[in-house]
Amino acid sequence: MILTVTLNVSVDKAYKIKGAVCPGTVSRVDECRNTAGGKGLNVARIADLCGEDVLAAGFAGGFNGDYVKAMLCEDGIQSRFTKVKGESRSCINILAGDGTSTEFLEPGAPVEEEEWHRFLKDFEELVRESHVVTISGSAPRGLGTDCYQELIEIVKRQGKQVILDTSGEYLREGLKAKPTMIKPNQEELEDLLGVEIKNREDLILAGKKLVSQGIPYVVISLGAKGALMICEDRIYHGKPPELDAVNPVGCGDSMVGAFAAAFCQGKSDKEALAYAVAVSAANAMNPGTGRFRVKDMEEIHSKAEVEEITY
Amino acid sequence: MILTVTLNVSVDKAYKIKGAVCPGTVSRVDECRNTAGGKGLNVARIADLCGEDVLAAGFAGGFNGDYVKAMLCEDGIQSRFTKVKGESRSCINILAGDGTSTEFLEPGAPVEEEEWHRFLKDFEELVRESHVVTISGSAPRGLGTDCYQELIEIVKRQGKQVILDTSGEYLREGLKAKPTMIKPNQEELEDLLGVEIKNREDLILAGKKLVSQGIPYVVISLGAKGALMICEDRIYHGKPPELDAVNPVGCGDSMVGAFAAAFCQGKSDKEALAYAVAVSAANAMNPGTGRFRVKDMEEIHSKAEVEEITY
């Protein structure tokens, strides 16, 4: 089973408006689509579509928290969230008639210390039933930036694999516990290592540096160019064929979900990369976030190439 | 008891952001305040603060509907909403660091015919227990613009008083049933009568026209200048003293709530107007919408003037 951790779930609201976003005015929304949001829930939907048993964990509170659980349930995803007093947040994405996307992200209610301890206890138990754990996104206020470090240590004590996909201080602190895999993009890598990255060689150097610090798999997502996978003894570049992307949102999460599934299925590193690149590309072809059509994925998979890089 | 009708309730979200609203970017919200929204719920809170028993009716659906009910309950307002399948809406108001307010209003889930009939049945019963009914705001999709006409006819058949506060086609159609009171502002009057209004005399003429059509009380809200009350045999101008307004939102709703309370309390027309003007001004002095401090209201009330206009 794959356990996905999403500490800051939200009801994601996609608003369609005819005109442009005009500060200082009132806009009537033509269409509103609500989704269970938070990067870890994209991972959960993708891992489920990859055929794995999935359990979504994190914090959920109030009416919005119940709404998130109900929407996950409709998608066939089981969840066992730790109940908190605060109301779970909403995040708004306004898709305007002029093609712009304008987002407003609520901070979410702060988590209290007692609630964090209750989560840790729940988490210990859930890890026991899992093969792979994924940890994604930011954390609500009230938690230290070392919260993921604590979670990763729990997973590793139980000898399970854990993928960390976050940024900034959460990533910096989380790395101290040496997760099985991280999946930074170029910007996150530059921020983490304080270097400027100009080409693939720089990316590989950065990845190798992190591997030498004890991270077995550093996967660097490259958007339409696929992903680089740097491990202790091998380096691969997985490349999808050219395709028409309609929604690149959630491609990184899709990669994480696919890798988690590949770990469960015992795929080789090279196979796992080709699969993850195909799943991520198939997500970009789907208007939904954290969703793909199996047919798209299989077609892309058959055309995806994995180049081994000698370095 | 006062029965308030709000067919399109919402979870109103006030977002504070540091910078300006920038189309095409991602903004983190610093502070988010959720309120039970919809004009009729402002009326309900105000009538409750005026010391009257209040029951809030309308449609409520899903998790957002339950959230609205819970927030009303926290404010001490009883509700008996008709449950609908669709999820009740949210409305977003972004208060930016540059002083602008940018709103996005969700349309709300459409109401089905069976749900409307269920509401009408509930409404008939609730009107029986009420002295005054208020009907505010717009209606969800799926209902005809004559929906308020139908409600007003039900109230009048039971010999109760009914205040209608809406605009556009809902107002035009609702007037056919001759509600006890309407509370248009200048813009709504111009739109309704197809005339341009330049001064107080024009306002009075417009009001008299509507009174002659069988509306006993036409109250025209004038913002900081108070309100004009035009009845069959008298015309009054209620004027608040000068004051520091911090939040003019909901002043019209406050006037409606205060008039409903004044009707219940058997106040004279002149007394009712002075009271409503004071409540509305006290609401403008309060950061909350549809709220006032009794102390503010009493002070304003003692200074409010009501001029009788001979015409």
Side-chain angles (χ1 to χ4, degrees), chain B residues 19 31 70 90 104 107 129 133 158 163 180 199 205 229-230 256 268 285 309:
Chain B
E31 214 187 300
S90 295
F104 295 95
E129 305 164 30
V133 178
Q158 294 195 27
I163 306 178
T180 315
N199 48 38
L205 278 174
M229 180 195 240
I230 296 131
V256 169
S268 74
M285 288 182 69
I309 301 171

Side-chain angles (χ1 to χ4, degrees), chain A residues 13 15 24 27 29 102-103 106, chain B residues 13 15 24 27 102-103 106:
Chain A
K13 288 174 166 284
Y15 286 174
S27 297
V29 173
T102 308
E103 289 185 70
E106 288 186 23
Chain B
K13 290 174 164 284
Y15 286 175
S27 297
T102 308
E103 289 185 70
E106 289 185 23

Side-chain angles (χ1 to χ4, degrees), chain B residues 186 189 197-207 220 222 225 227-228 230 235-239 307-311:
Chain B
Q186 178 172 330
L189 263 188
I197 290 173
K198 287 191 275 320
N199 48 38
R200 197 172 76 167
E201 204 181 318
D202 289 351
L203 285 168
I204 292 171
L205 278 174
I220 306 168
L222 306 170
K225 287 184 194 153
L228 277 176
I230 296 131
I235 302 167
Y236 297 112
H237 185 171
K239 300 166 186 171
E307 174 198 356
E308 184 168 350
I309 301 171
T310 333
Y311 190 81

Side-chain angles (χ1 to χ4, degrees), chain A residues 221-236:
Chain A
S221 51
L222 306 170
K225 287 184 192 154
L228 277 175
M229 180 194 238
I230 297 131
C231 345
E232 251 174 293
D233 54 351
R234 297 273 167 88
I235 302 166
Y236 296 111

Side-chain angles (χ1 to χ4, degrees), chain B residues 16 43 49 59 103 193 200 204 233 247 256 276 285 304:
Chain B
K16 275 199 184 157
V43 174
L49 287 170
F59 294 112
E103 289 185 70
L193 299 173
R200 197 172 76 167
I204 292 171
D233 53 352
N247 174 25
V256 169
M285 288 182 69

Side-chain angles (χ1 to χ4, degrees), chain A residues 194-212:
Chain A
V195 295
E196 197 195 339
I197 290 173
K198 286 190 276 320
N199 48 37
R200 195 170 79 167
E201 202 180 319
D202 289 350
L203 284 169
I204 292 171
L205 278 173
K208 282 191 80 70
K209 192 168 175 193
L210 291 166
V211 168
S212 75

Side-chain angles (χ1 to χ4, degrees), chain A:
Chain A
M1 194 185 72
I2 295 168
L3 178 68
T4 66
V5 175
T6 319
L7 296 189
N8 217 354
V9 300
S10 73
V11 173
D12 280 358
K13 288 174 166 284
Y15 286 174
K16 274 197 187 160
I17 63 170
K18 281 201 189 73
V21 168
C22 294
T25 66
V26 177
S27 297
R28 292 196 179 269
V29 173
D30 289 307
E31 211 187 300
C32 166
R33 193 166 134 173
N34 296 334
T35 322
K39 287 164 64 69
L41 302 187
N42 295 335
V43 175
R45 278 192 294 267
I46 289 290
D48 172 71
L49 286 170
C50 290
E52 293 306 306
D53 282 341
V54 176
L55 189 72
F59 294 111
F63 298 92
N64 253 18
D66 287 343
Y67 192 19
V68 166
K69 282 189 265 183
M71 285 191 285
L72 279 175
C73 189
E74 266 180 38
D75 285 333
I77 309 288
Q78 288 199 52
S79 62
R80 225 172 301 157
F81 288 105
T82 301
K83 204 174 172 65
V84 287
K85 265 177 276 173
E87 182 70 27
S88 289
R89 64 187 182 147
S90 295
C91 292
I92 317 290
N93 187 0
I94 301 147
L95 305 156
D98 61 359
T100 58
S101 152
T102 308
E103 289 185 70
F104 295 95
L105 311 181
E106 288 186 23
V111 165
E112 294 175 10
E113 212 178 316
E114 176 272 328
E115 294 171 332
W116 174 241
H117 288 298
R118 206 144 37 76
F119 175 79
L120 286 177
K121 206 165 151 265
D122 293 344
F123 183 69
E124 284 249 23
E125 272 174 40
L126 296 177
V127 172
R128 224 161 275 145
E129 304 163 31
S130 314
H131 292 90
V132 182
V133 178
T134 69
I135 300 173
S136 305
S138 66
R141 292 170 299 172
L143 297 182
T145 50
D146 59 348
C147 57
Y148 292 153
Q149 186 185 349
E150 207 169 341
L151 298 187
I152 294 164
E153 281 163 1
I154 290 170
V155 182
K156 290 191 70 183
R157 270 205 296 278
Q158 294 194 28
K160 309 292 172 73
Q161 291 172 301
V162 51
I163 305 179
L164 175 67
D165 183 20
T166 184
S167 56
E169 283 306 307
Y170 295 110
L171 176 58
R172 204 181 304 277
E173 297 283 320
L175 281 179
K176 293 180 185 166
K178 305 195 192 324
T180 316
M181 177 183 280
I182 57 171
K183 190 221 59 55
N185 56 29
Q186 179 173 328
E187 199 189 332
E188 285 160 351
L189 261 187
E190 287 180 328
D191 173 59
L192 178 68
L193 299 172
V195 295
E196 197 195 339
I197 290 173
K198 286 190 276 320
N199 48 37
R200 195 170 79 167
E201 202 180 319
D202 289 350
L203 284 169
I204 292 171
L205 278 173
K208 282 191 80 70
K209 192 168 175 193
L210 291 166
V211 168
S212 75
Q213 287 171 18
I215 316 295
Y217 295 92
V218 176
V219 173
I220 306 168
S221 51
L222 306 170
K225 287 184 192 154
L228 277 175
M229 180 194 238
I230 297 131
C231 345
E232 251 174 293
D233 54 351
R234 297 273 167 88
I235 302 166
Y236 296 111
H237 185 173
K239 301 167 187 173
E242 269 194 41
L243 45 86
D244 292 324
V246 297
N247 174 25
V249 181
C251 280
D253 304 330
S254 301
M255 214 171 256
V256 170
F259 268 114
F263 279 165
C264 281
Q265 292 157 11
K267 282 187 161 67
S268 75
D269 296 351
K270 201 176 163 179
E271 279 169 355
L273 178 61
Y275 181 67
V277 161
V279 166
S280 172
N283 170 74
M285 288 182 70
N286 197 302
T289 297
R291 301 182 194 275
F292 66 87
R293 292 200 311 167
V294 174
K295 202 173 144 263
D296 291 340
M297 187 275 283
E298 284 173 350
E299 201 183 319
I300 299 167
H301 196 187
S302 73
K303 292 177 187 165
E305 285 173 23
V306 176
E307 172 198 359
E308 183 166 350
I309 300 170
T310 335
Y311 192 84

